[in-house]
Amino acid sequence: MTTLALAPAVGRVPRRSRPVREWLAGTLFVVPATMLLLAIILAPLLCLLILSLTDYEIGAMQIRWLGLGNFEKALSDPVFRRAMGNTLLYVALVLPGGVILGLLVALLVHGRTRSRAFYEVAYFLPVTATLIAMAAVWQFLLHPKLGPVNGLLKAAGFPEMAFISEPSLLIPTLAVIGLWNLIGFNMILFLAGLTAIPRDLYDAAEIDGAGGPIDRFLTVTWPQLAPTTMFVAVTTSITAFKVFDTVAVLTRGRDGSEVLLYAIYLEGFQYFKIGYSAALTVIFLAFMLAFSVFQAFQLDRRVHY
Amino acid sequence: MKAARFPLPTGRLLRFAGAHAVLLVGAAFMLLPFIWMLLTAIRAPDEILTGGLNPIPRSFHAVENFSAALQQAPLLRFMVNGVIICGGILIIQLIVAIPAAYALAKLRFPGRGLLFAAVIGGLCIPIQVPALPIYLALAEFGLLDSYFAMMVPFFLSVFAIFLFRQTFRGFPDEILQAARVDGLGEFEILWRIVVPSALPAIAAFSIFSIVAHWNDLYWPMIVIQRMDYAPPPLGMLFFANSETGASYGVLMAGATIITAPLVLVFLLARRRFVQGITMTGIK
Amino acid sequence: MEHSLELAQISKAFGKTGVLSEIDLAVQPGEFLSLVGPSGCGKSTLLRIISGLERQDAGQVRIAGRTVDALSPRARNIAMVFQNYALYPHMSAAENIALPLMVDRLSLFERLPLIRHLSPRRKRIEAAISGEIGKVAEALQIEPLLARKPGQLSGGQRQRVALARAMVRQPSLFLMDEPLSNLDAQLRVHMRDELTDLHRRLGATFIYVTHDQIEAMTMSTRIAMLDGGRLAQIGSPADLYERPASLTVARFIGSPAINVLPARLDPQGHVILGTLPTGLVVPDGMAGPVSLGLRPEHIRLHAACDRAMPMATLRRSEHHGADRLLHLDLAEDRQTGLIVRIPQDETGQFQPGETYGIGFAPEKAHLFDASGLRMATRTVPARIGAAA
Ligand SMILES: Nc1ncnc2c1ncn2[C@@H]1O[C@H](COP(=O)(O)OP(=O)(O)OP(=O)(O)O)[C@@H](O)[C@H]1O
Ligand SMILES: [Mg+2]
């Protein structure tokens, strides 16, 4: 009895006291992560900012300090402006579409019992698929002559549509493929959110007379999903800003299909204009951060209770 | 005693039918590319070129298309590369992120707030942002065209740290305290008590990570020139470019081969994955 | 007079497992009826059937004389208070309380975001509603809390907001599912008083689910006990305590629980405890095992050792304020524990480790047959009874 009561005290004497131990363990545990954080995020970020102010090119003999020259050049460059416009249009189509359709599918799937597994698989499958391979499939599906989509259109009496070569159709087509790739992911996130809503709230709504589908949605589902929606909106907009793979396969950034990342890729890794590409990257980052922060604030006001 | 049964109200019946109608149309849209890919992969070239809507292939050409795909490009090599890269990245991500997440969730140490802020900030920075400087550094040290070059930017996953921190935070402090009183060191506590309880979350993250890196195109496109190291998407890009419309059947066979592993993994792990996401409480 | 609530032959099964079978129940206006029973016996399910949240498989529900089986919960004019309050976390207390009235008086369009501003009469109706909220809030003394969100309220305050939301529509029937079980012990006692008080002031009918028999005993006008999906007994708290219809009811009601001793009937119908006659007789009873139930306060301990009494050894004695509880082990071959309640001033005579004789008045004893149902008894002079 006495030995038992004494054991912790005896054990503690030769060791370091708890705060110091905790301090040491904590520091030790984060060393690898911190070093990597410095090496592959913070240091490169700093380099990027510095590079963006220079005219550095691979193979060039000297580096000149340009100040904001790269940024001025970018803003007056028609190609870059088109890339920016296209990217924003793409985000404007994919962000609301991805959130709304993901939510709609999740709401419908959530009510299913026996068929739920089937729908989960069907909608999530595109997320796991290698987009680059599936882009080739889409290219074939949308082929003016060989593809079944145009085959259907023609069978229904519509004219043939050049989804991938007609500039005005290009970004919407890419957006549809982007949505196809992303809805399943949003659905799974929303399903997780829906599962976490207490059943009592729906019962209370029913007793209070708010039991119709619209009332239930407005009084319980939507407010309860607000945190999920915020997360989904931010991840969706980041994904949308990063559109690249489909462009690389379907158009290789041809006229009318320039997007930010492809422009950055071309300038930096094909033409080796490192300084200019770095400036474009900074603009890309600024846009994405601004978007995420704006949405987080917008939704945050409604999330906290 | 005769029981008075309630008939299924028509309103509910209508809603049931409506939901299925919408979901089925959507599911058809989601699955159409997969189905068409499979159907094209087993069609003969002339049948593809006539562009018929007929879904059922008239002649069975699968063996020819798949063997042609495997001959024209080293698809198996790409897949082996994919496994090596995904495996390497995942292992190091877990080794780095789990202790850091535990420290952020349960230990007090100087600089904790700062580190957590950096993690949150890092969530908004995709690989494309630090890509240029990392590329320059790898080129400087002659490390391009290697497995290491393909893996290094992903060794740290701030997403993993964030996710695991959320999961670990829900772990009861009493159990940790009891373990400390029993004389367990922090590392043992983490390894033997906390990690086993978080396995569903770790599994969910693993699927995220594998899906993301198996499918990543941007970074390999930058650091890899030699086909020997190409992961599946890059291989697919080479493959797609070297082909013309005439051999869509072969291309689709290739796409099938590259897409199949992840689809199979998901089909096998679906329930666990959905559970894991629910457990981490992302919201 | 019309019944406030009537259940006729209600049955319910989830899949293959039957939960409720053929429940009949009639509740008078203004009653406070507690539904009690062990966990999982179907209390919540029955309440949800009354409210319309769940459909019964068979049987009828009538509220105020009207068959409501085809009606939605809203049309049944009932209110419900949930175990964890079920307040909408994103709405303030006032908005929570207002919701049932808003739904009642405004059309769907007048409640939709943005579009609602088009309605000319919305402002007027909302003003009327907030007047009513004020009255309810005053009655429950939650006016200072109205602007707060549920997350900023304590458990007891949330409970009151939930009550206000239930009251504001002035329903004739209140359904409550363990509303106090999430509160700490002290607050629970306080809210018990408040609820009883509220019931008296409103004059409405309360159906109150609880698994706490003290709540049921102290608050209700009647108690209905469910067991295994059937109504085991319904009656006043005194009925259930003094004449439990089954062993389950006897065990459930009363704290500390009733003592149950194995006994048997001899061929003449005499109840024999061990080898001793108890003075209880079952008129035409069949010989066989029975159970003898004795409330702790109905047992007398005798220091003077009379050999014709069952013996028990005092193991432990607990202080319970005015009373003292004595824990004894029955002697002989039986392992049965026994609890006896005695007034505090009699404790001096009893010492742990000592052995005492057990006595009781036969008219205070309850007898149950092998299947647990109450048996009618009469008393004859016998040594154990006489000793009390
Ligand atoms: N939706 C449902 N599906 C299947 N079984 C259910 C469902 N709801 C309740 N049950 C089952 O019905 C039985 C009765 O449940 P109920 O919630 O009515 O019990 P209770 O008396 O309220 O218990 P407690 O005191 O624990 O709240 C339980 O065995 C429960 O598992
Ligand atoms: Mg219950």
Side-chain angles (χ1 to χ4, degrees), chain A residues 199, chain C residues 14 19 38-45 178 211:
Chain A
R199 187 173 85 154
Chain C
F14 288 109
V19 177
S39 187
C41 70
K43 305 180 295 287
S44 299
T45 307
E178 309 197 16
H211 58 239

mmCIF file of all heavy atoms in Angstrom, chain A residues 199, chain C residues 14 19 38-45 178 211, ligand 1:
data_model
loop_
_atom_site.group_PDB
_atom_site.id
_atom_site.type_symbol
_atom_site.label_atom_id
_atom_site.label_comp_id
_atom_site.label_asym_id
_atom_site.label_seq_id
_atom_site.Cartn_x
_atom_site.Cartn_y
_atom_site.Cartn_z
ATOM 1 N N ARG A 199 -30.017 14.064 -34.904
ATOM 2 C CA ARG A 199 -31.366 13.784 -35.381
ATOM 3 C C ARG A 199 -32.406 14.602 -34.611
ATOM 4 O O ARG A 199 -33.445 14.975 -35.144
ATOM 5 C CB ARG A 199 -31.658 12.287 -35.225
ATOM 6 C CG ARG A 199 -32.979 11.878 -35.858
ATOM 7 C CD ARG A 199 -33.169 10.379 -35.844
ATOM 8 N NE ARG A 199 -33.735 9.958 -34.575
ATOM 9 C CZ ARG A 199 -34.459 8.839 -34.435
ATOM 10 N NH1 ARG A 199 -34.663 8.063 -35.468
ATOM 11 N NH2 ARG A 199 -34.940 8.499 -33.267
ATOM 12 N N PHE C 14 -39.220 -2.519 -34.926
ATOM 13 C CA PHE C 14 -38.183 -2.056 -35.862
ATOM 14 C C PHE C 14 -37.631 -3.302 -36.527
ATOM 15 O O PHE C 14 -36.967 -4.099 -35.877
ATOM 16 C CB PHE C 14 -37.073 -1.312 -35.129
ATOM 17 C CG PHE C 14 -37.497 0.040 -34.635
ATOM 18 C CD1 PHE C 14 -37.671 0.274 -33.284
ATOM 19 C CD2 PHE C 14 -37.717 1.070 -35.525
ATOM 20 C CE1 PHE C 14 -38.064 1.515 -32.833
ATOM 21 C CE2 PHE C 14 -38.110 2.319 -35.076
ATOM 22 C CZ PHE C 14 -38.287 2.543 -33.731
ATOM 23 N N VAL C 19 -40.872 -3.683 -30.380
ATOM 24 C CA VAL C 19 -40.527 -2.746 -29.316
ATOM 25 C C VAL C 19 -41.732 -2.484 -28.422
ATOM 26 O O VAL C 19 -41.632 -2.489 -27.206
ATOM 27 C CB VAL C 19 -39.994 -1.430 -29.917
ATOM 28 C CG1 VAL C 19 -39.713 -0.437 -28.823
ATOM 29 C CG2 VAL C 19 -38.724 -1.692 -30.711
ATOM 30 N N PRO C 38 -37.187 0.417 -17.607
ATOM 31 C CA PRO C 38 -35.752 0.244 -17.804
ATOM 32 C C PRO C 38 -35.314 0.748 -19.183
ATOM 33 O O PRO C 38 -36.141 0.926 -20.073
ATOM 34 C CB PRO C 38 -35.556 -1.273 -17.683
ATOM 35 C CG PRO C 38 -36.897 -1.876 -17.874
ATOM 36 C CD PRO C 38 -37.888 -0.862 -17.445
ATOM 37 N N SER C 39 -34.029 0.960 -19.357
ATOM 38 C CA SER C 39 -33.507 1.481 -20.613
ATOM 39 C C SER C 39 -33.830 0.525 -21.762
ATOM 40 O O SER C 39 -33.725 -0.679 -21.608
ATOM 41 C CB SER C 39 -32.005 1.662 -20.483
ATOM 42 O OG SER C 39 -31.526 2.295 -21.620
ATOM 43 N N GLY C 40 -34.254 1.109 -22.883
ATOM 44 C CA GLY C 40 -34.519 0.284 -24.059
ATOM 45 C C GLY C 40 -35.889 -0.357 -24.056
ATOM 46 O O GLY C 40 -36.190 -1.189 -24.908
ATOM 47 N N CYS C 41 -36.767 0.024 -23.121
ATOM 48 C CA CYS C 41 -38.066 -0.634 -23.053
ATOM 49 C C CYS C 41 -39.070 0.008 -24.001
ATOM 50 O O CYS C 41 -40.191 -0.459 -24.111
ATOM 51 C CB CYS C 41 -38.606 -0.614 -21.635
ATOM 52 S SG CYS C 41 -39.094 1.020 -21.096
ATOM 53 N N GLY C 42 -38.700 1.101 -24.662
ATOM 54 C CA GLY C 42 -39.602 1.679 -25.650
ATOM 55 C C GLY C 42 -40.292 2.967 -25.226
ATOM 56 O O GLY C 42 -41.229 3.410 -25.880
ATOM 57 N N LYS C 43 -39.800 3.614 -24.171
ATOM 58 C CA LYS C 43 -40.446 4.854 -23.717
ATOM 59 C C LYS C 43 -40.345 5.947 -24.783
ATOM 60 O O LYS C 43 -41.343 6.575 -25.156
ATOM 61 C CB LYS C 43 -39.755 5.375 -22.436
ATOM 62 C CG LYS C 43 -39.698 4.367 -21.314
ATOM 63 C CD LYS C 43 -39.000 4.934 -20.092
ATOM 64 C CE LYS C 43 -37.536 5.247 -20.295
ATOM 65 N NZ LYS C 43 -36.666 4.070 -20.359
ATOM 66 N N SER C 44 -39.114 6.156 -25.269
ATOM 67 C CA SER C 44 -38.944 7.196 -26.288
ATOM 68 C C SER C 44 -39.745 6.861 -27.526
ATOM 69 O O SER C 44 -40.353 7.744 -28.137
ATOM 70 C CB SER C 44 -37.471 7.330 -26.666
ATOM 71 O OG SER C 44 -36.724 7.702 -25.544
ATOM 72 N N THR C 45 -39.755 5.599 -27.895
ATOM 73 C CA THR C 45 -40.496 5.202 -29.086
ATOM 74 C C THR C 45 -41.980 5.530 -28.928
ATOM 75 O O THR C 45 -42.601 6.070 -29.837
ATOM 76 C CB THR C 45 -40.299 3.699 -29.346
ATOM 77 O OG1 THR C 45 -38.903 3.425 -29.383
ATOM 78 C CG2 THR C 45 -40.939 3.273 -30.635
ATOM 79 N N GLU C 178 -37.046 12.696 -21.018
ATOM 80 C CA GLU C 178 -35.935 12.838 -20.071
ATOM 81 C C GLU C 178 -35.332 14.238 -20.102
ATOM 82 O O GLU C 178 -34.142 14.396 -20.324
ATOM 83 C CB GLU C 178 -34.845 11.803 -20.390
ATOM 84 C CG GLU C 178 -35.418 10.411 -20.495
ATOM 85 C CD GLU C 178 -34.355 9.325 -20.408
ATOM 86 O OE1 GLU C 178 -33.235 9.642 -19.978
ATOM 87 O OE2 GLU C 178 -34.667 8.188 -20.756
ATOM 88 N N HIS C 211 -36.228 7.829 -16.588
ATOM 89 C CA HIS C 211 -35.877 6.530 -16.012
ATOM 90 C C HIS C 211 -35.493 6.719 -14.548
ATOM 91 O O HIS C 211 -35.001 5.817 -13.899
ATOM 92 C CB HIS C 211 -34.767 5.835 -16.805
ATOM 93 C CG HIS C 211 -33.516 6.634 -16.898
ATOM 94 N ND1 HIS C 211 -32.968 7.032 -18.090
ATOM 95 C CD2 HIS C 211 -32.715 7.130 -15.949
ATOM 96 C CE1 HIS C 211 -31.897 7.738 -17.863
ATOM 97 N NE2 HIS C 211 -31.718 7.823 -16.577
HETATM 98 N N1 LIG D 1 -34.892 3.854 -35.397
HETATM 99 C C1 LIG D 1 -34.715 2.670 -34.788
HETATM 100 N N2 LIG D 1 -34.340 1.588 -35.496
HETATM 101 C C2 LIG D 1 -34.169 0.382 -34.905
HETATM 102 N N3 LIG D 1 -34.331 0.162 -33.600
HETATM 103 C C3 LIG D 1 -34.696 1.203 -32.817
HETATM 104 C C4 LIG D 1 -34.905 2.502 -33.367
HETATM 105 N N4 LIG D 1 -35.255 3.333 -32.365
HETATM 106 C C5 LIG D 1 -35.264 2.580 -31.239
HETATM 107 N N5 LIG D 1 -34.949 1.297 -31.508
HETATM 108 C C6 LIG D 1 -34.891 0.184 -30.543
HETATM 109 O O1 LIG D 1 -36.111 0.144 -29.875
HETATM 110 C C7 LIG D 1 -35.945 -0.139 -28.499
HETATM 111 C C8 LIG D 1 -36.619 0.916 -27.656
HETATM 112 O O2 LIG D 1 -35.946 2.138 -27.837
HETATM 113 P P1 LIG D 1 -36.346 3.457 -27.039
HETATM 114 O O3 LIG D 1 -35.447 4.535 -27.494
HETATM 115 O O4 LIG D 1 -37.799 3.678 -27.191
HETATM 116 O O5 LIG D 1 -35.998 3.036 -25.551
HETATM 117 P P2 LIG D 1 -36.121 3.935 -24.241
HETATM 118 O O6 LIG D 1 -37.081 3.254 -23.374
HETATM 119 O O7 LIG D 1 -36.378 5.357 -24.593
HETATM 120 O O8 LIG D 1 -34.667 3.771 -23.644
HETATM 121 P P3 LIG D 1 -33.779 4.857 -22.865
HETATM 122 O O9 LIG D 1 -34.282 4.882 -21.457
HETATM 123 O O10 LIG D 1 -32.414 4.256 -22.941
HETATM 124 O O11 LIG D 1 -33.910 6.143 -23.566
HETATM 125 C C9 LIG D 1 -34.451 -0.227 -28.269
HETATM 126 O O12 LIG D 1 -34.098 -1.596 -28.201
HETATM 127 C C10 LIG D 1 -33.858 0.400 -29.468
HETATM 128 O O13 LIG D 1 -32.654 -0.214 -29.796
#
